[in-house]
Amino acid sequence: MSSAPWYLNAERPSLKHQRKWKSDPNYTKSWYDRGAKIFQAEKYRKGACENCGAMTHDAKSCMERPRKKGAKWTNMHIAPDEKIETFELDYDGKRDRWNGYDASTYARVIERYEARDEARRKYLKEQQLKKVDESKQMDFAKVEKRVRTTGGGSTGTVRYIYYTIPQLYLIFYV
């Protein structure tokens, strides 16, 4: 029913929900400035958070770890006030999952994972080289003569067999 019936005013649609919605210019598609700070206090101010000393929230909603003695009593390490923004989003802005997403943060995540993988490859290569060096130094069969003791022992030979496993040395007496 895009056009009105002949008996009504035919110049415009009769029902409000059939009209074309125009976006309100008051709405914005911007997003919060994450982590922005506005003022750094020198000492504790009355009415501030007892834990960190910021004026923008109270101790109950403080996101810092609970201190043993808060900023109210120590008057030290006062946290800066956070920037509080209020704005209304339009229909799409409220439902946009990626609104405010910064692609450069993902690039930092990728760099961190690549550095971790590179360190892992380097470590595994060192372990392989270390394993080769240990296998060259292994002494599998070492024969030693046992000395006759006063407690009465035989003069046979004792064979020590060494097996080396990384970080673990096992000795078996045969």
Side-chain angles (χ1 to χ4, degrees), residues 67-171:
R67 300 179 184 179
K68 191 172 184 180
K69 286 189 175 180
K72 180 178 182 177
W73 296 277
T74 61
N75 220 8
M76 295 172 59
H77 306 292
I78 306 293
D81 297 339
E82 296 93 7
K83 183 178 180 182
I84 296 178
E85 297 176 293
T86 55
F87 52 85
E88 295 181 19
L89 297 171
D90 59 352
Y91 182 84
D92 293 331
K94 286 185 211 175
R95 290 156 181 81
D96 187 9
R97 292 179 58 199
W98 298 99
N99 192 359
Y101 176 73
D102 187 15
S104 63
T105 59
Y106 185 69
R108 281 186 264 151
V109 170
I110 293 294
E111 289 172 4
R112 187 173 67 226
Y113 276 98
E114 286 176 352
R116 185 197 67 183
D117 290 342
E118 183 64 33
R120 180 181 288 156
R121 279 192 290 262
K122 186 176 178 182
Y123 174 75
L124 291 174
K125 192 170 186 177
E126 285 178 5
Q127 292 298 322
Q128 289 289 347
L129 291 173
K130 196 176 194 181
K131 196 175 195 180
V132 170
D133 290 344
E134 286 178 357
S135 65
K136 288 180 182 177
Q137 296 174 0
M138 281 178 25
D139 193 12
F140 282 107
K142 183 178 179 183
V143 179
E144 293 182 2
K145 186 112 175 164
R146 193 176 348 158
V147 180
R148 191 182 298 233
T149 61
T150 56
S154 66
T155 59
T157 61
V158 175
R159 184 177 300 240
Y160 295 103
I161 300 176
Y162 295 98
Y163 292 106
T164 58
I165 300 173
Q167 292 106 18
L168 181 66
Y169 293 97
L170 300 175
I171 300 173

